[in-house]
Amino acid sequence: MKIGVPQEIKNNENRVGLTPAGAFELVNYGHEVFVQESAGIGSGFSDEDYYEAGAVLLPTIEAVYAMADMIVKVKEPTPYEYPLIKRNQVLFTYFHFASSEELTRAMIASKAVCIAYETVSDEDGFLPLLTPMSEVAGRMAIQQGAKYLEKPIKGRGVLLGGVPGVPPGKVLVLGAGVVGIQAAKMAAGLGAHVTILDINMKRLRYVNDIMPNHVVTEFSSVFNIKRHIKNHDLIIGAVLIPGAKAPNLITREMLKEMRPGTVLVDVAVDQGGCFETTRPTTHEEPTYIIDDIVHYCVANMPGAVPYTSTLALTNVTLPYILKLANLGWETACEKYPDLGRGLNIVKGEVLIEEIKKAFAEVDLLMG
């Protein structure tokens, strides 16, 4: 199979879809790997690294799309890439269709085979390709939130860990999934007081078992959310419904209940966001302020630490890339049900119910 790795062109996205080590493995199996020149530079991998791994370097993104049977990326295609996608071409990347009608309609029109990292899952619902980036994003949420609590950036002026004689900052985490647990772990490590809310008692029991005593669990409800937002300094939106749009747990009206300078970090921005006031931002302009509340809603948070993120991503995607390349997408998805659950849009047909429900004109999306 001919596998293409284009350079990511989303704002400040420095990750790359495949490491040189991944390219070496694919070439070793007899496949051809085409990498756009400079695609790996942001992650710390030179063109020479890919060349030595056996990849063929191509000068433009157009050339990569034209040569490849399968495109391996990190983020969803941008409008610039839509016309480059070929009929029946396999696209293996993060899509998050439910948050973008434009992207969904473009992929339907392309007649390509869209396999989304974020919906590849086992029978128990574990998401192996989303997990490493969720781990990175959860940890980064606290790192960024702590920074934007500083007064020069219009935060409350709170040091999360406090100091002797001064109480620590308070962190509210909405969701006890991978992102939420990683965020809670980081916040607790800094010495902050952490409250984590979820509707899944099994997850809350797990958090109780693994976290220190200054991490408190509570059942998530509108009442409890309204109560906690009044006195927490940093609020992390970490709710995930696989393939679906995230629920708005904090409304615009609720911002008035918060103290000025409170920081909201919405890790669910890729799926539409946990907060009504969420809108995607970039690493270039990561924050905005509404009603004196600082919002950090960067849609590709792990892109800020591309070396770590790219290695973590290729660790989990490479086995699936090999299956797709060795067997072809139809056989691979039939033989491996976890990979089959990654099929979102196939040759113009939407296969995921949550995507259909996300938009009003369901009949059009059904192809």
Side-chain angles (χ1 to χ4, degrees), residues 91-318:
L91 302 179
F92 196 32
T93 188
Y94 290 114
F95 278 105
H96 301 290
F97 282 116
S99 65
S100 175
E101 185 173 341
E102 179 190 10
L103 173 67
T104 303
R105 298 199 183 283
M107 293 305 99
I108 290 171
S110 74
K111 304 296 183 182
V113 177
C114 301
I115 307 176
Y117 292 162
E118 71 272 11
T119 63
V120 172
S121 62
D122 64 18
E123 291 180 355
D124 296 324
F126 176 68
L127 304 165
L129 306 189
L130 189 61
T131 295
M133 293 305 95
S134 294
E135 290 169 337
V136 172
R139 295 182 178 209
M140 279 193 67
I142 299 303
Q143 189 171 299
Q144 299 301 316
K147 178 169 70 178
Y148 287 102
L149 274 171
E150 296 172 7
K151 199 65 177 178
I153 319 173
K154 308 301 181 185
R156 289 200 66 234
V158 171
L159 182 65
L160 278 185
V163 291
V166 180
K170 299 182 75 174
V171 177
L172 177 64
V173 180
L174 304 177
V178 175
V179 170
I181 286 177
Q182 294 299 319
K185 182 186 294 185
M186 286 290 284
L190 288 173
H193 181 280
V194 184
T195 302
I196 186 165
L197 306 183
D198 203 293
I199 58 173
N200 186 332
M201 287 303 302
K202 185 178 179 181
R203 295 299 296 176
L204 293 180
R205 290 189 180 98
Y206 174 70
V207 172
N208 250 28
D209 287 343
I210 66 168
M211 292 291 179
N213 291 335
H214 59 291
V215 176
V216 179
T217 61
E218 283 192 34
F219 189 80
S220 184
S221 65
V222 175
F223 180 86
N224 281 339
I225 291 172
K226 282 186 172 181
R227 179 165 58 90
H228 284 302
I229 61 174
K230 296 176 182 179
N231 58 17
H232 279 71
D233 306 298
L234 172 59
I235 301 171
I236 309 295
V239 174
L240 171 71
I241 303 174
K245 196 173 185 300
N248 285 155
L249 300 182
I250 293 179
T251 65
R252 167 112 193 213
E253 194 65 25
M254 291 163 71
L255 299 188
K256 298 173 184 175
E257 301 293 317
M258 302 176 191
R259 296 175 294 192
T262 297
V263 174
L264 304 183
V265 177
D266 198 341
V267 187
V269 60
D270 267 338
Q271 291 290 91
C274 292
F275 314 134
E276 185 181 357
T277 46
T278 290
R279 58 176 172 80
T281 61
T282 66
H283 290 294
E284 220 166 62
E285 295 182 31
T287 63
Y288 56 93
I289 297 174
I290 297 177
D291 293 341
D292 295 321
I293 305 302
V294 180
H295 293 62
Y296 178 96
C297 305
V298 174
N300 61 326
M301 289 175 63
V305 286
Y307 179 74
T308 299
S309 298
T310 295
L311 288 173
L313 185 59
T314 298
N315 285 344
V316 293
T317 57
L318 184 59

Side-chain angles (χ1 to χ4, degrees), residues 341-355:
R341 295 183 188 99
L343 290 169
N344 279 217
I345 297 176
V346 176
K347 301 179 182 179
E349 182 182 359
V350 178
L351 303 184
I352 303 291
E353 288 300 319
E354 288 80 3
I355 299 174

Side-chain angles (χ1 to χ4, degrees), residues 32-51:
E32 296 178 84
V33 179
F34 298 92
V35 179
Q36 185 181 347
E37 290 176 0
S38 302
I41 297 297
S43 293
F45 305 116
S46 68
D47 287 348
E48 186 178 348
D49 292 332
Y50 286 101
Y51 177 77

